């Protein structure tokens, strides 16, 4: 079974790059361009992992993090923050709100992120080899 | 009825004293740790005390009270002594000139003590002179005080000129101090002519307070990006203050008329009014300075955040391109883009760490750090440059030196010091690292045989974006942030950081010291 990923990101370039990368590894990726549609997707579908940007239109990433525990289908889904915010206080807040990992996009590559997703979900790598 | 000249001279000296007090407070609060700021404050506060006792003295009729008040004028000894000390701090010759500075203070103290023991030899009496109710009269030994003034002035002036001629960097700042010294010493001694019965009115002495204002600005602003902007602004400020002082003088004339014609206006109305004005000026002055600094930091913060998205896009696109295994010529070009982009990212990260947001939001952890141990890790990282330049690296330490601090931050400080030493040392040169415990402080120093640092620049190089000409010539890529960041970190641990160098091309020793075992 392929892992199901939700990536909440308003920048199309980042969303498509990560989505394509994860699809190469056999993941099934849904994209949400803002916090609101991200939360809607989380209520409708159970995901294996959530990738979340912090600076988002309308509902920001921190607010999304706050609301996830109340969403039955995804309350235990691991969240990786992918943001270009990098201060210690942002990282601390994200962790306190339940984020598993915090990756600064500028200091990472799509391959690093894919590796992290694979290691957290324990899925996808085989799919990539078999494909 | 009060003589208008006496009134103006009195109020003028009071305003002058208020200006001195205001700038002394601003400069001292700006950085109470610096000798330059402290000596400026001592000189300015002594000048304020001198102005106040002077303005009181000229209004008292001859008698014991007037004599006592006039004796307080001896504080002027401290003005010139502290001024000389300040000049040596500005030209970074405090250490070399320490005996001279101590000597000047000692001779000054001797003159004060002698005046108190033998008052008749120095200041035998106070009598009415020109428009004043009482004024000093010089005794046979008063000439010692005058000689002291002239001598200390010449030493300060020659030290400034000598440093100006020898120095290539920051000459504009010195030009500015030289100009201020000339102005100060042209106006300052005016009050002394009448002591020797030379009929020059002490009226003009009240403008003395103005000369310290631009110096104060020069001291406060020495960390800003471009000293030329600082000087331009300082001139604008001093001219504005001159104009305000002129306006106040006009008000004093008006006050004289008002005191005579309007019953409810008292003699003290204008002094209080001027005190309020002086406070407002000082406040505006201060806000303006802090505002400029804020704008600079906000600009950097915005710039770093806005740069991140495009830099990430370039980085991710390039890594996708490389993963697609392009043919060798394309691969080489793409790798070059990747390398340049990584450098830009590193620079953006570094810029962010020097912003208020970066500094305040950084969480300092406490780790037991062995300075030798961390040096070895840093040397491993720097191995490519050591090999490329065939540098000889020596680490001297009897035992491991421990500090309790944030590992990443102290690691960055050590990396900055080591990398600088390596970058600015010619091929085949020597870099020595020495660490030891002195009292309850850990001392870490990196000695190199490189380009060295001119004395006048030894403090400036720890300012953000400051780079010496020699450093620019050797390494065109640097931005002048590493040492500023190191200073921030070390000061966070109540430590000190500095450089000792005999001058350009004579090598340098960068060092820091911080408490052992304390956070």
């Amino acid at each position: 079974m392929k892992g199901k990923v939700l990536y909440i990101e308003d920048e199309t370039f980042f969303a498509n790059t990560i989505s394509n990368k994860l699809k190469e590894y056999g993941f099934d990726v849904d994209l949400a361009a803002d916090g609101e549609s991200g939360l809607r997707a989380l209520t409708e579908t159970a995901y294996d992992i959530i990738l979340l940007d912090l600076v988002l239109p309308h509902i920001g990433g921190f607010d999304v993090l706050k609301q996830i525990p109340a969403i039955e289908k995804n309350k235990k889904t691991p969240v990786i923050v992918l943001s270009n915010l990098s201060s210690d206080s942002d990282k601390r807040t994200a962790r306190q709100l339940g984020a598993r990992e915090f990756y600064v996009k500028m200091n990472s590559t799509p391959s690093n992120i894919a590796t992290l997703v694979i290691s957290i979900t324990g899925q996808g790598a085989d799919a990539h080899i078999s494909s | 009825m009060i003589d208008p000249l006496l009134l103006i001279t009195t109020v003028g000296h009071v305003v002058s004293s208020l200006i001195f007090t205001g700038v002394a407070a601003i400069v001292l609060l700006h950085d109470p740790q610096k000798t330059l700021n402290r000596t400026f404050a001592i000189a300015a506060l002594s000048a304020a005390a001198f102005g106040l006792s002077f303005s009181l003295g000229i209004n008292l009729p001859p008698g014991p009270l007037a004599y006592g008040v006039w004796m307080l004028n001896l504080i002027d000894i401290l003005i010139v002594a502290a001024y000389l000390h300040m000049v040596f701090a500005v030209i970074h010759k405090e250490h070399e000139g320490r005996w001279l500075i101590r000597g000047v203070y000692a001779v000054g103290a001797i003159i004060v003590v002698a005046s108190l023991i033998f008052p008749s030899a120095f200041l035998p009496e106070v009598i009415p002179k020109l428009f004043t109710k009482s004024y000093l009269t010089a005794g046979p030994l008063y000439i010692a005080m005058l000689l002291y003034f002239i001598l200390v002035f010449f030493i300060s002036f020659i030290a400034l000129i000598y440093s100006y001629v020898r120095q290539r960097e920051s000459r504009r700042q010195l030009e500015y101090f030289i100009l201020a010294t000339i102005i100060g010493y042209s106006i300052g001694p005016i009050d002394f002519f009448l002591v020797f019965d030379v009929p020059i009115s002490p009226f003009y002495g009240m403008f003395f307070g103005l000369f310290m204002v631009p110096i104060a600005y020069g001291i406060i602003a020495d960390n800003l990006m471009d000293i030329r902007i600082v000087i331009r602004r300082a001139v604008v400020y001093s001219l504005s203050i001159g104009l305000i002082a002129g306006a106040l003088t006009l008000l004093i004339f008006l006050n004289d008329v008002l005191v005579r014609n309007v019953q409810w206006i008292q003699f003290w109305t204008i002094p209080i009014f001027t005190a309020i004005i002086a406070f407002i000026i000082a406040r505006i002055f201060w806000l303006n300075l802090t505002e400029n600094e804020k704008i600079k930091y906000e600009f950097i913060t915005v710039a770093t955040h806005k740069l991140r998205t495009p830099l990430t896009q370039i980085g991710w696109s390039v890594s996708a391109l490389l993963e697609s295994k392009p043919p060798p010529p394309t691969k080489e070009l793409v790798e070059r883009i990747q390398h340049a982009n990584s450098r830009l990212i590193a620079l953006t990260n570094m810029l962010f760490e020097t912003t208020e947001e970066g500094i305040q939001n950084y969480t300092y952890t406490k780790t037991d750090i062995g300075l030798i141990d961390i040096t070895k890790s840093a040397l491993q990282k720097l191995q490519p440059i050591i090999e490329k330049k065939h540098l000889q690296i020596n680490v001297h330490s009897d035992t491991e030196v421990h500090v309790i601090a944030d590992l990443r931050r102290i690691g960055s400080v050590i990396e900055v010091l080591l990398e600088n030493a390596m970058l600015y040392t010619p091929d085949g040169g020597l870099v020595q690292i020495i660490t030891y415990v002195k009292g309850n402080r850990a001392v870490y120093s990196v000695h190199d045989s490189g380009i060295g640092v001119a004395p006048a620049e030894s403090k400036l190089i720890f300012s953000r974006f400051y780079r010496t000409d020699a450093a620019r010539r050797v390494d065109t890529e640097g931005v002048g942030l590493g040492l500023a960041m190191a200073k921030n970190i070390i000061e966070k641990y109540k430590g000190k950081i500095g450089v000792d160098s005999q001058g350009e091309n004579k090598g340098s020793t960068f060092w820091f010291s911080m408490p052992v075992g304390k956070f």
Side-chain angles (χ1 to χ4, degrees), chain A residues 7 11 13-15 17-18 21 24 82 84-92 104-111 113, chain B residues 304-305 307-317 319-320 323 338 345 348-349 352 357-358 361-364 408:
Chain A
Y7 185 16
E11 285 275 341
F13 172 81
F14 296 132
T17 309
I18 290 297
K21 188 55 131 185
E24 277 178 34
L82 292 182
N84 262 336
L85 296 181
S86 65
S87 75
D88 274 13
S89 65
D90 289 329
K91 289 178 186 169
R92 204 169 40 239
V104 179
K105 281 184 279 198
M106 187 173 74
N107 301 333
S108 317
T109 62
S111 297
I113 294 161
Chain B
T304 52
H305 283 311
L307 283 170
R308 285 173 179 215
T309 304
L311 285 173
T312 312
Q313 288 176 348
I314 296 170
W316 286 18
S317 304
S319 67
E323 279 171 20
Q338 190 180 38
I345 289 173
T348 313
N349 283 336
F352 176 75
E357 194 191 342
N361 288 324
Y362 186 82
T363 314
Y364 280 77
R408 203 183 116 206

Side-chain angles (χ1 to χ4, degrees), chain B residues 332-403:
Chain B
E332 203 176 293
L333 290 172
V334 177
E335 277 172 347
R336 206 173 282 177
I337 298 172
Q338 190 180 38
H339 178 67
N341 195 54
S342 303
R343 272 197 359 232
L344 273 172
I345 289 173
L347 176 62
T348 313
N349 283 336
M350 203 179 198
L351 269 171
F352 176 75
E353 290 194 7
T354 61
T355 61
E356 280 304 302
E357 194 191 342
I359 293 166
Q360 281 174 7
N361 288 324
Y362 186 82
T363 314
Y364 280 77
T365 55
K366 289 181 187 179
T367 316
D368 184 355
I369 303 169
L371 292 180
I372 294 292
D373 194 36
I374 198 175
T375 300
K376 284 179 185 160
S377 318
L379 286 173
Q380 266 177 358
K381 274 193 199 170
L382 295 163
Q383 204 54 39
I385 183 173
I386 297 173
E387 281 170 16
K388 192 180 161 200
K389 295 185 81 173
H390 308 289
L391 297 169
Q392 193 190 334
I393 312 289
N394 288 342
V395 183
H396 303 272
S397 179
D398 294 336
T399 55
E400 177 63 287
V401 175
H402 292 267
V403 293

Side-chain angles (χ1 to χ4, degrees), chain B residues 107-161:
Chain B
V107 173
I110 291 169
I111 294 175
V112 171
V113 172
S115 310
L116 294 172
I117 297 172
F118 311 106
S120 56
F122 281 87
L123 303 166
E125 59 177 349
V126 292
I127 50 168
K129 289 183 183 179
L130 296 181
F131 56 83
T132 67
K133 290 188 178 163
S134 72
Y135 211 86
L136 289 172
T137 302
L141 289 182
Y142 192 83
I143 194 80
M145 202 181 283
L146 192 69
L147 284 176
Y148 180 82
F149 264 71
I150 294 168
L151 200 65
V152 175
F153 160 67
F154 271 114
I155 296 169
S156 310
F157 195 67
I158 287 164
L160 274 172
I161 296 284

